[in-house]
């Protein structure tokens, strides 16, 4: 009898083990999964470095303007002087948005978040241009250039209307960074401010298969158009776990108010098990390679403005997070206060990120199209067992 029972138990556990072995491994959040190759950028957490097309991002930030990096992203090489001239001439000639687009922006609810209005604006641009040409790489490159040139105009126009001001038309004699300040504020700030802004755009331009880039690649993989892919990318970037963190950082710094309040504020957050925005990264665990360059730009801005309060608060948070938790700041941590010192409204920080990331997204969209395979993972079903439908009169 005992022998029979033991046999039965062994059989049952064999059956359970077999079922367990058949269960797929779940890679929650796709963490640690390599889904494709890319030649756009390389993130190397082990050496805390990042390259765009083989160039270290710090090297690019020290020696290039944002337009050169945009060219690099799409063409794989840094431009010569004449290539840059042609590229910039093209970009500057496309900065205006249509009268109908200006009217669409005028209609946006004044309380709408600028990421929502920008997402709608890019989508609107798609309605006017998707029918134009086929889905060839050349046409997509032209559409990418259109977005690079027009997105700053969309953001600045929306900002001016929201504030009840008249829009300011783009100028062709200014760089992208200078022109953006001109369209927002009607003036171009000193060189150090433009330089810090340009550096932030270079650092934000690209970062391999992050959530928004992967979103854009997923959309592209169904052979959808570039505007749909970028619109999806904007939706993904908006989230506070991704690009939205640069806004969240500044709201937190303002909430803290003074260096004297910083430690208690952080201890309260920790006690409530809340995330501290601007810290942590899915890939970098020993520090974000872009932070020292952006931190140096923030220090320059703080000195120019004569306002070191945000730096002092940041340092207190950073020291505790690194020394006690081993969690390092990411790029959004210095970028948030940098944009604040430049005079931008907080809800414009993530749209500014889009101005830059449009270059990386488009490079990935072109790459996905050139070697496409529909992105369609599997899932393991975790719901109720299959059952029979009861007619409505028999359901309780
Ligand atoms: N504040 C407090 N704790 C944090 C943290 C943060 N910003 N980031 C990570 N942690 C903690 C997690 O809670 C986790 O703790 P646990 O092991 O006790 O549960 C641990 O550190 C490991 O985090 P991990 O799960 O490896 O992070 P992730 O890879 O899932 O998430 C982020 C990465 C970016 C989503 C996450 O760090 C985060 O939400 N940061 C704040 C938002 C932000 O700045 N986003 C911009 C990213 S560039």
């Amino acid at each position: 009898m005992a022998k029979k029972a033991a046999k039965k138990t062994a059989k049952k556990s064999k059956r359970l083990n077999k079922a367990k072995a058949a269960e797929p491994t779940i890679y929650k959040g796709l963490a640690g999964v390599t889904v494709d190759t890319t030649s756009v950028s390389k993130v190397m957490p082990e050496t805390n470095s990042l390259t765009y097309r083989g160039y270290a991002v710090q090297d690019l930030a020290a020696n290039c303007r944002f337009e050169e990096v945009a060219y690099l992203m799409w063409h794989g090489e840094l431009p010569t002087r004449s290539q840059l001239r042609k590229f910039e001439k093209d970009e500057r000639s496309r900065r205006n948005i249509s009268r109908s687009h200006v009217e669409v922006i005028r209609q946006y609810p004044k309380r709408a978040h600028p990421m929502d209005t920008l997402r709608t604006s890019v989508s609107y641009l798609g309605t006017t241009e998707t029918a134009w040409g086929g889905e060839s790489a050349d046409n997509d490159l032209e559409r990418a250039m259109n977005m690079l040139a027009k997105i700053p105009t969309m953001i600045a126009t929306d900002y001016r209307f929201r504030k009840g001001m008249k829009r300011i038309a783009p100028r062709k004699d200014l760089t992208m960074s200078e022109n953006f300040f001109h369209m927002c504020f009607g003036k171009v700030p000193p060189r150090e401010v433009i330089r810090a802004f340009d550096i932030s755009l270079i650092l934000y331009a690209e970062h391999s298969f992050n959530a928004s880039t992967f979103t854009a690649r997923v959309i592209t993989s169904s052979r959808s158009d570039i505007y749909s892919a970028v619109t999806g990318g904007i939706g993904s970037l908006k989230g506070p776990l991704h690009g939205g963190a640069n806004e969240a950082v500044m709201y937190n710094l303002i909430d803290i108010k003074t260096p004297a309040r910083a430690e208690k504020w952080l201890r309260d957050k920790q006690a409530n098990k809340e995330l501290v925005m601007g810290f942590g990264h899915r890939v970098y665990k020993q520090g974000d390679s872009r932070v020292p360059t952006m931190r140096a730009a923030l220090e320059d801005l703080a000195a120019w403005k004569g306002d070191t309060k945000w730096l002092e608060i940041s340092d207190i948070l950073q020291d505790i997070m690194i020394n006690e938790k081993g969690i390092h700041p990411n790029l959004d941590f210095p970028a948030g206060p940098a944009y604040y010192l430049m005079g931008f409204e907080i809800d414009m920080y993530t749209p500014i990120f889009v101005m830059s990331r449009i270059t990386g997204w488009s490079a990935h969209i072109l790459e996905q199209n050139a070697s496409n395979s529909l992105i369609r993972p599997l899932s393991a079903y975790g719901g109720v067992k299959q059952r029979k439908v009861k007619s409505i009169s028999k359901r309780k």
Side-chain angles (χ1 to χ4, degrees):
M1 196 69 180
K3 223 173 169 187
K4 214 173 170 187
K7 218 172 168 186
K8 209 173 163 188
T9 315
K11 227 174 168 181
K12 194 177 170 192
S13 92
K14 207 172 164 189
R15 219 175 35 239
L16 281 174
N17 283 344
K18 211 170 158 189
K20 228 177 189 173
E23 270 174 25
T25 310
I26 306 291
Y27 297 96
K28 202 91 169 147
L30 291 181
V33 178
T34 305
V35 297
D36 208 341
T37 57
T38 179
S39 54
V40 184
S41 69
K42 187 175 181 191
V43 183
M44 292 158 279
E46 61 290 350
T47 52
N48 196 12
S49 45
L50 164 68
T51 53
Y52 298 166
R53 306 279 188 192
Y55 293 105
V57 75
Q58 297 86 342
D59 202 5
L60 292 167
N63 294 295
C64 298
R65 278 198 288 116
F66 174 62
E67 284 87 337
E68 294 171 70
V69 175
Y71 184 101
L72 171 71
M73 215 57 87
W74 294 345
H75 299 283
E77 295 295 336
L78 281 168
T80 62
R81 217 181 274 277
S82 72
Q83 285 167 335
L84 181 63
R85 214 174 298 125
K86 197 167 159 231
F87 184 84
E88 288 192 312
K89 194 171 170 209
D90 191 13
E91 185 276 313
R92 291 175 191 207
S93 71
R94 293 170 188 267
R95 286 177 179 173
N96 267 311
I97 53 174
S98 67
R99 202 176 299 170
S100 63
H101 199 157
V102 172
E103 288 318 307
V104 167
I105 294 176
R106 207 189 293 280
Q107 301 307 316
Y108 291 147
K110 296 285 172 283
R111 287 217 194 122
H113 191 283
M115 277 300 269
D116 295 335
T117 61
L118 180 59
R119 187 194 61 225
T120 310
S121 276
V122 168
S123 189
Y124 177 77
L125 192 65
T127 66
T128 61
E129 290 183 2
T130 35
W132 159 75
E135 302 297 324
S136 73
D138 282 350
N139 281 334
D140 274 348
L141 207 50
E142 195 168 346
R143 291 176 180 128
M145 180 61 109
N146 250 346
M147 285 188 269
L148 177 72
K150 291 185 192 333
I151 282 173
T153 315
M154 296 171 192
I155 299 170
T157 304
D158 179 52
Y159 163 69
R160 304 274 309 174
F161 286 167
R162 252 183 310 127
K163 294 276 149 198
M165 298 183 284
K166 277 193 174 160
R167 85 184 199 102
I168 300 176
R171 267 171 57 182
K172 279 189 185 174
D173 60 323
L174 300 175
T175 66
M176 283 191 70
S177 292
E178 290 167 346
N179 179 54
F180 186 62
F181 279 90
H182 154 75
M183 289 190 296
C184 289
F185 307 126
K187 57 183 180 214
V188 178
R191 270 184 51 182
E192 52 266 59
V193 179
I194 293 296
R195 189 70 201 124
F197 189 72
D198 226 49
I199 286 171
S200 78
L201 296 185
I202 291 171
L203 298 176
Y204 266 140
E206 160 60 11
H207 214 218
S208 78
F209 278 37
N210 55 84
S212 58
T213 302
F214 190 59
T215 302
R217 289 191 77 128
V218 170
I219 293 172
T220 304
S221 83
S222 73
R223 291 287 189 212
S224 187
D225 68 286
I226 191 168
Y227 292 104
S228 299
V230 171
T231 301
I234 294 174
S236 167
L237 189 74
K238 180 187 169 192
L241 296 191
H242 192 8
N246 60 8
E247 297 182 12
V249 165
M250 199 59 222
Y251 286 121
N252 284 349
L253 293 178
I254 287 174
D255 188 30
I256 295 169
K257 274 196 194 87
T258 65
R261 286 165 43 96
E263 179 167 356
K264 168 143 189 350
W265 180 93
L266 183 58
R267 300 283 178 217
D268 287 349
K269 283 264 165 201
Q270 289 173 332
N272 293 330
K273 303 225 170 309
E274 284 178 54
L275 284 173
V276 185
M277 305 317 268
F279 285 88
H281 199 275
R282 175 53 69 80
V283 183
Y284 297 117
K285 297 299 177 195
Q286 295 308 316
D288 180 330
S289 62
R290 304 161 294 180
V291 164
T293 312
M294 195 62 226
R295 164 78 192 203
L298 172 61
E299 283 172 11
D300 289 348
L301 282 168
W304 164 75
K305 197 87 190 185
D307 180 0
T308 55
K309 183 170 83 173
W310 310 114
L311 268 177
E312 290 163 40
I313 299 175
S314 300
D315 282 344
I316 295 167
L317 302 183
Q318 185 171 308
D319 283 352
I320 299 175
M321 288 297 281
I322 296 176
N323 296 331
E324 294 182 15
K325 297 277 167 198
I327 302 176
H328 294 255
N330 56 54
L331 175 56
D332 296 316
F333 192 62
Y339 291 143
Y340 185 86
L341 291 173
M342 290 176 201
F344 292 109
E345 302 259 309
I346 298 176
D347 57 10
M348 286 175 82
Y349 300 178
T350 321
I352 291 170
F353 192 159
V354 175
M355 272 174 66
S356 158
R357 187 55 65 88
I358 180 65
T359 58
W361 286 336
S362 325
H364 280 275
I365 290 165
L366 287 161
E367 191 174 68
Q368 182 69 36
N369 262 329
S371 164
N372 190 48
S373 174
L374 177 72
I375 300 173
R376 204 298 187 193
L378 299 174
S379 59
Y381 179 67
V384 293
K385 277 192 184 156
Q386 187 163 350
R387 46 193 167 162
K388 280 246 181 255
V389 175
K390 282 185 188 157
S391 63
I392 196 156
S393 59
K394 291 187 181 148
R395 282 178 229 156
K396 286 185 193 137

